[in-house]
Structures are given as C-alpha cells and as structure tokens.
Amino acid sequence: MSAVPTLLVLDAEPPPRLGRLTGRVRVVRTDEASLAARLPEADVLLVWDFTSHAVRAAWPGEGPRPGWVHTASAGVDHLMCPELAASETVVTNARGVFDEPIAEYVAALVLAAAKDLPRTWDLQRRREWRHREGRRVAGTHAVVVGSGPIGRAIARTLKALGVTTAVVGRVPRTGIHGPQDLDRLLARADWVVAAAPLTEETRGMFDQRRFGVMQPSAYFVNVGRGQLVDEDALVRALEKRWIAGAALDVLTTEPLAGDSPLWRVPGLLLSPHMSGDTVGWRDELGAQFVELFERWAAGRPLRNVVDKKRGYVPGH
C-alpha cells in the first residue's frame, strides 16, 4: 500500500460524504463499465452502489485486487463470487444501520394487516362507509427467520406489541431455534417474517410446501432477500387463499417490471426495497464507512467482517 492509499468508489447518486478523509486518501470514483480496469489500482473498494452486480463480474479479471471491500448494504450476495470468497480480501458490510428501521417497518405491516388499513384507505377513496372488525395483535404468534441483528430487532419490536415471537437461525442456541423447528413453528404462526441472508441453504426456502404448512390466517412478510421466496409459489398461495396475505419489500428482480403478475395478486402489498431507508440513512452509511476506514488506516481490526463462505457476519 502506498503512503496515500487509493479508495475506489463504485458510485451511485447521491455520492457518499467522505470529507473527513480529505488528504488522507486518494478517492477514485468509477461506474460499472470502468470498474474492472480500475480495480488493480485500489487499496480499498467501497461498493456504494449496492444494487450493482458489477463486482462479481469484474473481480475475476487480471491484476492485483483491493485488500478490503466494504458494501453499503447488509447483504453481500450482489458482490460475492468464488474468486473473492477464496481471496485474502476482507469484506465488511453495513451491519447495524438498518436494524431498527426494518423492525419498525415490519411492525407497521403487522399492524396495518391486523387492522385492515389498506382496505380502509381503498374504501375511503371510493367514499364507501363499511364497518369491519380488525384482529388483535397482542397474543398472536410470530416466527422470524433470520437470527442476525435485523431479525433480533424485529423480534424485540413485535414482542413489545404483545406478540409471542420465535426466532429461527442457522444453528440452535439459547433463545434461537434451529432449522429443524421451522415447519413446526410455521404451522401455528400468525405472522411469518423472512429476514435471513441469502445463502445456498436459504435460497427458495419459502416454497409451495412451506406456504402449505402455514395457517390460512397467516400473513407473510419478506424483508430479507427476494430470492428467499419462490414468488410463483407465493402467488398460488395467495390466489388459493392458503395464507391470508403477504408483503414483499424485496423481490427476485428489482425494480419490478410493469407487467409482472405480482402487481395484481390479491392480498399482496409491494414496496420498493425501502424498509430500512429512513431520513438520513445515506449519511449514516457514509459515517459508518469513514469510521471503519479510520480503524483500517490505524491498523486496528475491522468491525462487521463478513464470513465469505457463509455470506454474512457471524453472530456473537
């Protein structure tokens, strides 16, 4: 590494605020087209455009590679490739920024579904006065699939609403169920929340069989990764009323095409990958990277280090 390290930023608008690093680092901004050519000169790569898959395509190329890659997202599947996973490069993520906002979003979805708020809004627009009965949230049961910080924050928030909540993780431990308990828990859950990272074990885990296990009154929420869900199976489950409803904040293909059948599925609420995005979230992401950079420059251990084989930051 040279005296003044080179920071390569895979950019997106608005760009990150890196003023605290002025004079301490040479910042080079790049887009997807020039990323491969720029990689050999970088000591650090900041993947600010966390919707891009350009790193996966560019990393296997010729020349040296950065010793540290940071992505401004919780998930790392968009950048991980076999060559990066096998390298000595350290990968970090934005763990900690999105936990509480996503938990609040899930709680809002649960309350909206229980109190039938989408239909209330629709009836208001149609000027129809139609009395209905809502569901009580306190005393219901939820299963949160994903035992990382986001999943645990969701569980805490739902418990504050009086919801009995079980968390399922990759391995069982105190307070966390293992995968072998999932089907049993799904069979009695009123709310099922997917908040797991995308791995080979979790890809497509919510399929036709799993939706068939759920109660007809169950409501499904995905705030993890789109590929956790077999979307065709979810469409069938909603159309056949195997489950009461669903909300997807993440989808297999984003943005969702205008002709996708998902737009027209009864009982499905779609949002554009926004559950963790609150006012000032980009500034939080930028500040987090600057703090990590200062640790890296001082030779101190980095936080949020991803286990590249597993695809997420291991729990403690």
Side-chain angles (χ1 to χ4, degrees):
M1 185 177 68
S2 60
V4 178
T6 296
L7 169 62
L8 183 63
V9 181
L10 180 57
D11 235 340
E13 292 295 333
R17 296 183 179 181
L18 303 175
R20 278 168 51 188
L21 301 182
T22 300
R24 301 165 57 188
V25 64
R26 171 177 171 256
V27 179
V28 177
R29 303 187 184 276
T30 185
D31 56 16
E32 292 184 340
S34 58
L35 176 63
R38 294 285 196 178
L39 273 177
E41 66 183 285
D43 298 295
V44 179
L45 171 63
L46 168 58
V47 185
W48 190 249
D49 184 358
F50 50 80
T51 66
S52 172
H53 289 76
V55 175
R56 296 178 63 179
W59 195 270
E62 297 291 330
R65 291 293 179 260
W68 170 34
V69 174
H70 177 78
T71 179
S73 61
V76 299
D77 51 278
H78 61 292
L79 57 85
M80 202 60 66
C81 61
E83 292 82 2
L84 175 54
S87 72
E88 295 183 359
T89 295
V90 175
V91 176
T92 57
N93 72 354
R95 178 182 173 113
V97 172
F98 302 108
D99 306 354
E100 297 302 332
I102 292 178
E104 293 172 356
Y105 199 88
V106 170
L109 290 172
V110 166
L111 289 169
K115 306 308 178 184
D116 202 21
L117 295 184
R119 191 182 305 181
T120 296
W121 176 236
D122 184 56
L123 290 170
Q124 178 182 332
R125 287 183 297 174
R126 289 155 48 185
R127 301 185 183 185
E128 292 187 29
W129 187 269
R130 188 185 305 174
H131 183 269
R132 288 110 57 222
E133 296 177 343
R135 297 174 62 186
R136 291 192 65 176
V137 172
T140 59
H141 294 79
V143 175
V144 179
V145 182
S147 59
I150 292 174
R152 296 197 303 272
I154 292 169
R156 289 194 302 271
T157 303
L158 293 181
K159 287 177 182 177
L161 296 175
V163 180
T164 300
T165 306
V167 179
V168 178
R170 187 180 65 89
V171 294
R173 56 190 188 274
T174 303
I176 306 294
H177 294 268
Q180 68 275 9
D181 294 333
L182 179 56
D183 287 354
R184 173 178 60 83
L185 294 168
L186 289 179
R188 63 190 298 265
D190 300 290
W191 317 101
V192 178
V193 183
L198 180 63
T199 67
E200 289 308 310
E201 290 75 25
T202 62
R203 186 181 299 274
M205 67 182 301
F206 289 99
D207 54 12
Q208 181 169 309
R209 187 187 68 79
R210 286 260 162 74
F211 289 121
V213 168
M214 297 179 195
Q215 300 184 95
S217 59
Y219 193 88
F220 175 75
V221 176
N222 186 14
V223 290
R225 307 298 288 171
Q227 294 86 346
L228 301 178
V229 178
D230 179 337
E231 291 174 351
D232 291 335
L234 176 60
V235 169
R236 287 193 296 273
L238 289 168
E239 290 179 341
K240 295 179 181 296
R241 298 186 179 180
W242 293 350
I243 61 175
L248 300 178
D249 183 58
V250 287
L251 297 112
T252 300
T253 302
E254 299 178 8
L256 187 64
D259 60 354
S260 170
L262 291 173
W263 292 110
R264 302 183 296 276
V265 179
L268 178 60
L269 178 65
L270 300 173
S271 56
H273 206 146
M274 58 179 283
S275 61
D277 302 346
T278 53
V279 175
W281 65 284
R282 289 185 177 87
D283 289 342
E284 288 186 56
L285 289 172
Q288 181 188 57
F289 172 75
V290 169
E291 290 175 6
L292 286 172
F293 184 91
E294 290 174 340
R295 294 182 68 90
W296 175 82
R300 298 165 61 196
L302 287 170
R303 299 192 180 100
N304 293 4
V305 175
V306 172
D307 183 323
K308 294 185 291 182
K309 302 298 183 184
R310 297 181 185 179
Y312 55 89
V313 179
H316 299 289

